[in-house]
Amino acid sequence: MKKIFTFAALLFAAMSMNAQQSITCAEALTLMPAQHNDETQEVYTVTGYVTNTNGAISPSRTDASIDQQTFWMDDAKGSKKTVQGYWCNLPGHEALNVGDKISVTGKIMNYNNAPEIKNGDVVIIERATVQIDTIDASVCEALEEGSSLNAGDYSDDVFKVYGRLKGTDQVNNNGQHTFEMACGEDVFKPYNCKGAEGLELGKGDSVVVIGKLYNYNGTIEISNGTVELIEKSQVEEVIIEVNVAEAVDAAMALAQGGTSADRYAITGYVDSIATAYDAGYGNISFFMTDDMENPTYNFEAYRVKCTADEAALITIGRKVIVTAALQRYYKAADPEKELPEIDLAETVAGGTIELIYGEGIENTMTSEKAIKLIEAGQVVIIRNGVRYNALGVEVK
C-alpha cells in the first residue's frame, strides 16, 4: 500500500512540473527576459484577446498541413499590443479575427523589448462577431489610406489593390510573391503574397493584390495577402549585362533601400562567402569582384538560389554570372550598440546563378554593352547591333 501511494505521489508531482502555467498578457510582460532574443526556460499558456492582425494565414514551413498566423494580444478587447504571437499554429484553417479570445502556449521571448511567443499553439476560446468590408482601390488610394495607419498597424478592412508591377517579382521557397507597385515616385509593396500555383509575374504585369493594408515603418504593404494576375505585360523584359563595378554604380544610384526596376546579369568572381549554403531555403550569399588580385568587398550577391551541388562549386575565385534585380541596402549606425552604418550594393534575394568554367573557354573583356532579351521564351543577346542566341550563334 505504501509503495502504491509513493508511486502515485511521484506521478502527481511529475505531472504538476510538466503542466504549463496559465498567465495573463500583463504577467507575460513581467516574465519577459531582459535581453533581446532571450527566452524563458518555462513554457506558459497566455490567455487574452486578439487586438491586431493582418487576417492572413500561411502554411508552416515544417508541416504544410498546419496553418500559422501572426497577431497581437491584450487582456482587454481593443487595439493595445501587449504580447505578440509570431507565426503561431492555428487549431484549424480559419484565420483569427480581432476580438477573438484565445490562448497561446510557448516560451516567452524578448523581441525588441516586447514579449513574443514564436510558433506557439493556439486554442480558440471564444469567437468574436466581426464584419470586414472589402474595398477596391488604386495604388495611390492604398498608399493614402495606409499612410493614415500608425507604424506596425493593419487596416480593419480588406483592400483589393489594382495596379502594375514596377519591377521584378521575387518568389520565395513557399511560392510567395514580393514586388513593388508605384504611384508616381511613391512605392506600395505587396510582401509574401500567395498566388496560383506556377504563377509567374514580370515588370508591367497588371495584378490585383488582396489583403489588409500594413504600415511597416512607413512602407505601406499588403503582407501575406493574395495576388491574382489580370493581364501580362506586352513589353519584353530587358536584362542588362554588367560587370561588378557597373552593378555597384547602378545600385548606389538608387535611393537608400531602393530596388531596380530591371534585372541585371552581373559577371564577376566570388571573392568571399558571406553566408554559407542554407539547405532549408536553397540559397547562398557571397561577395563578388572584377579582379581577384584587388577584391573590393562592396557588392554582395544576396541569397542567390542554387542546389547543394551548385553551392559546393561556388568557391573562392569561381567566375559566375548572377541574374537579379539590384538593391541598395542601407542601415543607419547604432552608436549604443557600436554598430557602423551599412550602405551596400546587393542583388535582390532569389536571383539565379550560372557557373563559368575555364576549361576550353576563352574569356575576353569588351567595353561594348550587351542587352539580353526574353523573346517567345528564348534568350536573345544583342551586342554591337548583332543578335545572338544563348549559345553565341547569330540569329536573324
Side-chain angles (χ1 to χ4, degrees), residues 129-158:
T129 302
V130 295
Q131 179 178 350
I132 299 175
D133 294 327
T134 300
I135 301 172
D136 290 350
S138 67
V139 173
C140 295
E141 290 169 336
L143 285 169
E144 182 178 359
E145 184 70 24
S147 297
S148 68
L149 299 170
N150 294 323
D153 280 354
Y154 294 92
S155 63
D156 293 329
D157 298 315
V158 171

Side-chain angles (χ1 to χ4, degrees), residues 41-266:
Q41 293 184 346
E42 297 80 10
V43 172
Y44 295 92
T45 296
V46 183
T47 300
Y49 293 93
V50 177
T51 57
N52 192 269
T53 178
N54 65 356
I57 60 178
S58 181
S60 166
R61 290 177 176 174
T62 57
D63 185 348
S65 67
I66 297 175
D67 282 329
Q68 297 179 319
Q69 188 173 358
T70 295
F71 51 87
W72 285 90
M73 301 169 59
D74 186 58
D75 292 323
K77 290 184 178 181
S79 59
K80 186 177 180 181
K81 295 186 287 187
T82 304
V83 177
Q84 184 177 41
Y86 184 77
W87 292 122
C88 289
N89 305 319
L90 300 175
H93 301 286
E94 293 186 10
L96 300 175
N97 293 313
V98 172
D100 288 348
K101 186 176 183 180
I102 66 169
S103 67
V104 58
T105 300
K107 294 183 178 181
I108 300 171
M109 175 188 289
N110 178 332
Y111 185 76
N112 289 336
N113 292 321
E116 175 185 286
I117 293 180
K118 182 178 181 180
N119 302 142
D121 295 318
V122 173
V123 172
I124 299 174
I125 300 171
E126 179 184 300
R127 277 288 196 181
T129 302
V130 295
Q131 179 178 350
I132 299 175
D133 294 327
T134 300
I135 301 172
D136 290 350
S138 67
V139 173
C140 295
E141 290 169 336
L143 285 169
E144 182 178 359
E145 184 70 24
S147 297
S148 68
L149 299 170
N150 294 323
D153 280 354
Y154 294 92
S155 63
D156 293 329
D157 298 315
V158 171
F159 284 76
K160 298 176 72 173
V161 182
Y162 293 84
R164 293 185 180 274
L165 270 70
K166 173 178 177 286
T168 59
D169 176 33
Q170 176 187 339
V171 184
N172 65 17
N173 282 13
N174 294 322
Q176 295 170 309
H177 301 258
T178 297
F179 50 90
E180 294 181 345
M181 303 164 76
C183 171
E185 297 298 318
D186 297 323
V187 172
F188 172 71
K189 188 170 184 177
Y191 178 78
N192 281 358
C193 291
K194 295 180 183 177
E197 185 175 353
L199 176 65
E200 294 184 2
L201 300 175
K203 180 181 177 181
D205 287 352
S206 176
V207 298
V208 57
V209 183
I210 306 167
K212 292 187 175 184
L213 301 179
Y214 177 45
N215 185 334
Y216 179 70
N217 296 326
T219 298
I220 309 306
E221 302 180 349
I222 284 182
S223 177
N224 296 99
T226 59
V227 57
E228 299 174 6
L229 174 67
I230 297 175
E231 181 184 38
K232 290 293 292 182
S233 171
Q234 299 305 307
V235 179
E236 296 287 354
E237 181 186 14
V238 176
I239 302 176
I240 304 169
E241 293 192 343
V242 293
N243 60 26
V244 176
E246 292 167 333
V248 171
D249 289 343
M252 298 309 287
L254 299 168
Q256 292 175 348
T259 61
S260 66
D262 295 310
R263 286 196 295 167
Y264 288 73
I266 308 103

Side-chain angles (χ1 to χ4, degrees), residues 337-355:
K337 297 182 180 179
E338 298 183 352
L339 296 176
E341 177 188 58
I342 301 175
D343 197 0
L344 181 66
E346 293 182 336
T347 60
V348 172
T352 59
I353 187 168
E354 178 183 348
L355 304 174

